[in-house]
Amino acid sequence: MTEVVNVETPPEAPAEQPAPSDDDERILHTNLLLYRFLPVGSFTVTFDTTGNEKMAHISASCCGCCAGTEQSVPMNDDTTLQVLQQPLCHCGRLVRDAGLAFVLAFLFHLIPSIIWGAEESLGSSSNHQLMGAVWFGGWPIWFIIMQFLRPWGIQIQTKNNDDNATIFVPFASWKHATEVVACWEKSKYETPMPPMPEKPSLFHDLQFIVGWIFFLVLIINMFVTGALVTDCNSRGCCKDDEDTLDCCVETGYPEC
């Protein structure tokens, strides 16, 4: 008679959950460029598709050291994306622009002043006032120009508990922001998530290059002007003295 032996099959080990791949989580880095050339902060957007709902986690840092509060938005049809410039009506930003426009107008007025000549522009009260008019006249002009140079970015609006929350994420260029929006909208319905467009190099951005050249010209001219005015004062000119204006312009000294 054959004896039947029952052999218990050991329980199967639980299947290991696959680790999140690059398709499940993608990270996007952007720069906040003041007037489209001066880096003053950065934003990081982490796209997470590991849970039941796709989420985008947004965090900001100022000058690479001061981290802001992280905000999360769902990647669904309740979240709308729009490419536009940084919002115009913001009291803190407008006050900042007014102060920087005053400084910029001062630096810029030094260019026609030094072209005219230190002895001429500072040699009489009327000439000095004329240069002051260039300074204060340029103040509102540069303030208006700064408003046109607000950075491009993505305005994210999401509905949360019947309240509309709006987040603005700045980008170095309109093109990059537009490409990211197209990829984001596509990734709402696709799995795995398509790769995000790479951030373009700032050194290939014409506005970034022109902005830095203009800024450096103003700073160099400021030091050159300071040296020339100091030398002019040491020779006894640039004293707002009408009586010595002609001699200072002709010879560089108050006596002809």
Side-chain angles (χ1 to χ4, degrees):
M1 182 175 184
T2 305
E3 183 178 356
V4 179
V5 179
N6 293 327
V7 180
E8 294 185 359
T9 304
E12 294 183 0
E16 294 184 359
Q17 296 295 328
S21 65
D22 291 341
D23 292 330
D24 297 324
E25 182 176 286
R26 296 188 183 278
I27 298 177
L28 173 72
H29 298 286
T30 72
N31 296 109
L32 172 57
L33 298 181
L34 193 62
Y35 314 122
R36 302 190 190 176
F37 83 95
L38 188 62
V40 295
S42 63
F43 279 70
T44 301
V45 184
T46 304
F47 300 93
D48 187 4
T49 60
T50 57
N52 295 329
E53 185 178 19
K54 296 180 180 181
M55 298 292 293
H57 308 289
I58 304 165
S59 60
S61 65
C62 178
C63 302
C65 58
C66 303
T69 304
E70 183 179 280
Q71 298 173 284
S72 299
V73 296
M75 297 173 63
N76 53 32
D77 291 333
D78 291 334
T79 301
T80 58
L81 309 172
Q82 187 178 6
V83 178
L84 42 70
Q85 284 184 286
Q86 190 177 33
L88 178 62
C89 298
H90 187 282
C91 292
R93 188 189 59 78
L94 292 174
V95 171
R96 179 204 67 195
D97 288 352
L100 292 179
F102 183 78
V103 176
L104 181 59
F106 167 75
L107 295 176
F108 186 80
H109 104 286
L110 296 178
I111 294 179
S113 175
I114 209 62
I115 292 175
W116 195 11
E119 292 82 4
E120 190 86 58
S121 58
L122 299 178
S124 68
S125 298
S126 58
N127 290 357
H128 203 164
Q129 291 171 3
L130 180 60
M131 287 294 97
V134 174
W135 176 3
F136 282 87
W139 185 9
I141 295 175
W142 285 111
F143 178 77
I144 294 173
I145 292 175
M146 286 176 173
Q147 307 319 303
F148 286 100
L149 294 178
R150 303 191 319 276
W152 287 99
I154 299 176
Q155 181 169 280
I156 305 170
Q157 192 167 16
T158 181
K159 192 174 183 181
N160 184 18
N161 297 328
D162 297 328
D163 293 329
N164 291 329
T166 302
I167 306 170
F168 180 78
V169 180
F171 278 73
S173 69
W174 173 87
K175 182 176 181 292
H176 189 210
T178 303
E179 291 173 347
V180 169
V181 167
C183 185
W184 187 324
E185 293 288 358
K186 191 177 180 182
S187 63
K188 290 180 181 178
Y189 315 104
E190 288 191 7
T191 302
M193 183 178 176
M196 280 288 161
E198 293 185 4
K199 181 175 68 173
S201 172
L202 292 177
F203 295 101
H204 294 161
D205 188 338
L206 182 60
Q207 295 185 41
F208 178 81
I209 296 172
V210 171
W212 270 104
I213 291 175
F214 180 70
F215 178 71
L216 292 176
V217 167
L218 291 181
I219 297 300
I220 293 172
N221 181 72
M222 178 186 68
F223 286 107
V224 172
T225 301
L228 292 176
V229 171
T230 300
D231 178 65
C232 182
N233 276 303
S234 67
R235 290 184 274 104
C237 295
C238 299
K239 302 291 187 181
D240 286 352
D241 188 353
E242 297 276 359
D243 296 333
T244 62
L245 175 62
D246 292 336
C247 289
C248 283
V249 171
E250 183 178 351
T251 66
Y253 292 90
E255 296 86 11
C256 293

